[in-house]
Amino acid sequence: MLATRIIIALLSTVALFPPLSVATEANIASNSVLGLLKNMGVSSTARLEVFLDEICRIKPTSVIQVREDFADMRLCRDSIEVKINGTYGFVLDQHSGDLLQYYDSDESSEYSEEDKMRAFRCSPDDVFAMSVKILGLLGQPQDRNQFEVRRAWEDPGGIRNDGFGRWVIERSYSFNNMPCRDRSFSLAVFPEKASVHIKEFEDYRIVPPDEEPQCPISKDEAVSAVKAWFVGASPSYVLSPKVESGVVSKIQKVIALPNRCFVLGKKDPDCRGTKAQYCWEVP
């Protein structure tokens, strides 16, 4: 069970949501809002209704369909982005109605420095316990051991930062006990006195891989291919890393989607396939 492809894992930070432009808008009754969503191509609004009722605690009175300047290709799904009541942004799976991304753009709920410090001093276990219901509504397990819970801002001196006091609850996905690269769930919350306020979440669901290759390459062949790749890499790799023993010992089998490393030199270096594959990962 080895790989037909080789990937190089790189970490980067990108904005969750690019600038938006309005496509359609309606200020109508709740049932009509949900009906309009179906007209936009969302097959089911059941999950959205529960989230609006139990988490946002609002009745939808308006919906705006927005268009991203560039598609979030990592979702690998047919999706649509909307804003409810001008504040609550969602990315929905058109076929299932699943909630894939959410953000709260209401800036009126700015917290005092006292509230921020109280949130900062919460324990990871307390934050997780206050978030369990939300995780369940989002289809996530309620096992603390499957998540990493950390402060979004670790420096106590950064209390004036907007993100101070927020916590992030993260989970990486796996398939058949193999890590799925670029597939994860992340929830950002601000702990209040008895509950948490959701600021945003993103859910990059698993893309199941094709069948395992009948003629897999060996680990040694993967190392040779990586060395050759760096030799032929573009001039931007001025200081190409060396594949030495310390790196080789960390090579592992993972599941990943094709990315720019697969298509180096082609006309569209940012194209991304929708079929995951078994790979050797060279960190």
Side-chain angles (χ1 to χ4, degrees):
M1 184 182 69
L2 306 182
T4 55
R5 302 274 184 141
I6 302 163
I7 65 172
I8 297 171
L10 303 175
L11 298 179
S12 62
T13 302
V14 296
L16 292 182
F17 301 99
L20 309 173
S21 57
V22 176
T24 58
E25 181 175 4
N27 290 283
I28 42 185
S30 295
N31 290 338
S32 298
V33 168
L34 299 173
L36 184 57
L37 283 170
K38 292 185 177 181
N39 291 337
M40 293 176 183
V42 180
S43 62
S44 172
T45 60
R47 293 174 178 82
L48 177 63
E49 290 178 62
V50 173
F51 192 88
L52 291 173
D53 183 54
E54 298 191 20
I55 303 302
C56 300
R57 297 181 181 177
I58 63 166
K59 296 295 182 183
T61 57
S62 70
V63 59
I64 300 173
Q65 182 179 348
V66 296
R67 186 186 70 246
E68 298 180 352
D69 286 351
F70 61 91
D72 189 344
M73 300 179 70
R74 286 199 300 154
L75 289 173
C76 299
R77 293 184 175 219
D78 294 327
S79 58
I80 183 172
E81 183 174 356
V82 298
K83 259 192 178 182
I84 302 293
N85 294 8
T87 298
Y88 307 94
F90 295 88
V91 175
L92 308 171
D93 184 302
Q94 287 184 286
H95 300 295
S96 66
D98 287 350
L99 309 183
L100 302 177
Q101 293 178 345
Y102 165 80
Y103 60 98
D104 179 0
S105 60
D106 183 9
E107 299 179 355
S108 63
S109 59
E110 181 61 30
Y111 296 97
S112 66
E113 290 192 0
E114 181 181 357
D115 288 334
K116 288 182 177 181
M117 186 54 70
R118 177 190 47 76
F120 180 85
R121 290 171 176 164
C122 285
S123 72
D125 289 342
D126 287 343
V127 172
F128 184 83
M130 289 190 286
S131 305
V132 163
K133 178 181 178 181
I134 297 169
L135 292 171
L137 288 175
L138 296 176
Q140 295 295 317
Q142 299 183 3
D143 179 3
R144 170 71 176 84
N145 294 326
Q146 295 193 41
F147 294 88
E148 177 187 357
V149 184
R150 60 176 177 81
R151 295 183 182 91
W153 193 270
E154 291 289 355
D155 182 4
I159 193 169
R160 294 185 179 180
N161 184 279
D162 290 340
F164 190 90
R166 290 188 192 180
W167 287 74
V168 179
I169 302 173
E170 297 173 315
R171 175 184 176 223
S172 296
Y173 288 131
S174 61
F175 182 85
N176 290 342
N177 295 320
M178 295 179 65
C180 293
R181 289 297 178 243
D182 228 9
R183 303 287 97 189
S184 61
F185 171 85
S186 178
L187 170 68
V189 300
F190 187 95
E192 297 179 339
K193 292 184 178 179
S195 60
V196 293
H197 175 72
I198 298 183
K199 294 305 296 181
E200 61 188 21
F201 72 75
E202 57 183 10
D203 191 359
Y204 294 102
R205 306 287 179 85
I206 294 174
V207 178
D210 289 331
E211 294 183 2
E212 295 185 35
Q214 295 182 356
C215 300
I217 68 172
S218 68
K219 185 175 181 179
D220 289 340
E221 289 174 314
V223 172
S224 297
V226 169
K227 290 179 178 179
W229 186 88
F230 277 120
V231 170
S234 63
S236 61
Y237 286 90
V238 178
L239 297 176
S240 297
K242 296 180 180 179
V243 186
E244 297 175 338
S245 59
V247 173
V248 173
S249 65
K250 298 177 182 177
I251 292 176
Q252 63 178 326
K253 291 174 285 187
V254 302
I255 292 168
L257 288 161
N259 52 46
R260 68 184 63 193
C261 294
F262 281 106
V263 293
L264 187 68
K266 293 190 177 181
K267 292 182 179 180
D268 183 8
D270 294 321
C271 70
R272 182 178 295 275
T274 56
K275 292 289 186 180
Q277 300 177 15
Y278 293 92
C279 305
W280 284 109
E281 178 184 70
V282 183

